[in-house]
Amino acid sequence: QAIGEVVPILPASVTASVFLASADRGLAIREVEKEVMASMRSLQSAGAPVFQASHTKLTRAVADALHTLRLRRLVIEEDGRYRAHPDEFELLHYYANATAHWR
């Protein structure tokens, strides 16, 4: 528990959480950014040690996290919208679990 309180929450974990929460619909890139940033603000207000960056750097970090999730085939893109791969929820939960103790 003590380690969880000091390990920074990174955009990849929050991005995975966003895709799990929106599994029933696809998200445009701006929606992904908006949801991740809102979630990170919520975690920060709960006292979580959240990744700190300027808006521009955070936008880039979210794009990088999305790219990583796509490379690992956890998120798929169709017609400019992104959604969780239906066969990969378990692995997305693994990524998202880094934030679970703060929710």
Side-chain angles (χ1 to χ4, degrees):
Q1 183 178 359
I3 292 171
E5 291 176 5
V6 296
V7 173
I9 303 295
L10 300 175
S13 296
V14 179
T15 303
S17 297
V18 164
F19 281 108
L20 287 169
S22 63
D24 60 335
R25 61 189 173 97
L27 300 170
I29 185 67
R30 298 294 175 231
E31 293 172 299
V32 174
E33 291 169 357
K34 179 182 170 188
E35 294 291 326
V36 169
M37 290 179 190
S39 184
M40 290 182 88
R41 281 191 302 272
S42 175
L43 287 163
Q44 190 171 31
S45 69
V50 175
F51 171 81
Q52 296 290 317
S54 67
H55 181 76
T56 303
K57 287 184 181 178
L58 183 55
T59 299
R60 181 64 197 172
V62 171
D64 290 346
L66 177 58
H67 180 70
T68 298
L69 295 175
R70 287 186 63 215
L71 281 175
R72 295 182 179 159
R73 295 186 173 99
L74 304 178
V75 171
I76 54 178
E77 185 263 333
E78 296 171 332
D79 299 322
R81 299 188 69 79
Y82 302 90
R83 64 181 176 86
H85 190 294
D87 297 334
E88 299 297 344
F89 282 14
E90 188 174 329
L91 197 49
L92 277 170
H93 277 286
Y94 173 80
Y95 275 87
N97 197 42
T99 66
H101 60 286
W102 290 105
R103 299 192 185 277

